[in-house]
Amino acid sequence: MVAVAAIHGVGSDEQAWERCDWLWQQPETTLAELCAGVRRIVVVAPHPDDEVLACGGLLCAAAGIGLQVKVVAVTDGEACYPGEAWWTPQRLRHARRGELRDALADLAIDAGSIVHLGIADGKVNAHETALEDWLWQTLREDDLVLAPWRFDGHPDHEAAGRAAWHASRAAGCARLEYPVWGWHWLDPAWAHMAWEQPRLLDISAVAARKRGAIAQFRTQTGDVPRLHAHPILPAHVLIRFYRNHEVYLA
């Protein structure tokens, strides 16, 4: 399928997603089932915060049972507030790296687990082949790759998702996709047409820790001084990631 996505405005209301019976009636999966035969989880994040928003519960639970976690920060998300006098790309790059480090610490994941690739924010598609090659050389057969949904609606997400899809196939390892902006533009009534084999993971045991980790991304929630633009993650976006379940696409 080809997604024609609109990720501006308030997007699909969370209450509409709550009424999406088709999705929430899917069988639940367990961490043990998702990670059967896996020794390492590699999460590919187009921007710092994507990995925690979409996968924070799984990552926290996996770290808790001793699974190795590797976070691939594809960009530093430095282009999120164009035109801001104080929050320049250079300042955002530094701040967002720190936010990612602090958020992962809340999930019991060490900063040494992060690999910063430093690809320019908004330009991942121009480096898609290089990203695919780097991932292919990095991945192992006993990895589980978590990557953005290839039709998520944001160019960086889709390029990172495609690169991870091809690299994981070449490496022979397991892969799951996660939606971020798909929750925003997709009509819940049509979710069954877009998402094949969704897997629901109950994260209620670590949901509070995930919410604490999300709060570390202060530049994105607007909890910083001298920011005049609307935050990237206002309340109506954040609520989609405060659920007690995470959804992964096989």
Side-chain angles (χ1 to χ4, degrees), residues 162-186:
R162 289 190 300 266
W165 189 84
H166 289 296
S168 60
R169 286 191 67 185
C173 59
R175 173 195 52 83
L176 292 171
E177 296 183 333
Y178 59 80
V180 174
W181 289 110
W183 296 112
H184 188 87
W185 63 262
L186 182 61

Side-chain angles (χ1 to χ4, degrees), residues 78-238:
E78 72 278 5
C80 58
Y81 294 123
E84 283 287 305
W86 173 258
W87 288 104
T88 61
Q90 182 178 1
R91 184 169 279 118
L92 281 164
R93 186 179 294 111
H94 176 76
R96 297 197 70 178
R97 287 194 177 200
E99 290 171 347
L100 176 59
R101 181 190 62 242
D102 294 343
L104 292 177
D106 281 353
L107 304 178
I109 298 171
D110 187 83
S113 300
I114 308 169
V115 177
H116 294 283
L117 298 186
I119 293 175
D121 186 9
K123 302 294 184 182
V124 178
N125 57 351
H127 301 272
E128 185 174 333
T129 300
L131 175 59
E132 179 184 334
D133 289 344
W134 184 89
L135 287 169
W136 173 70
Q137 294 178 56
T138 301
L139 296 177
R140 307 187 304 229
E141 288 186 356
D142 55 3
D143 285 339
L144 169 61
V145 178
L146 306 177
W149 181 34
R150 284 164 292 155
F151 307 102
D152 205 40
H154 188 297
D156 281 352
H157 289 223
E158 296 188 356
R162 289 190 300 266
W165 189 84
H166 289 296
S168 60
R169 286 191 67 185
C173 59
R175 173 195 52 83
L176 292 171
E177 296 183 333
Y178 59 80
V180 174
W181 289 110
W183 296 112
H184 188 87
W185 63 262
L186 182 61
D187 184 339
W190 293 98
H192 65 288
M193 299 289 289
W195 291 344
E196 297 181 9
Q197 296 182 281
R199 300 188 180 185
L200 274 60
L201 178 68
D202 184 349
I203 63 161
S204 54
V206 293
R209 293 182 65 177
K210 176 179 175 176
R211 289 192 291 271
I214 290 173
Q216 296 288 359
F217 295 103
R218 294 183 175 89
T219 61
Q220 305 306 285
T221 63
D223 187 22
V224 288
R226 304 186 187 184
L227 179 65
H228 300 98
H230 292 297
I232 300 297
L233 298 176
H236 67 266
V237 171
L238 286 174

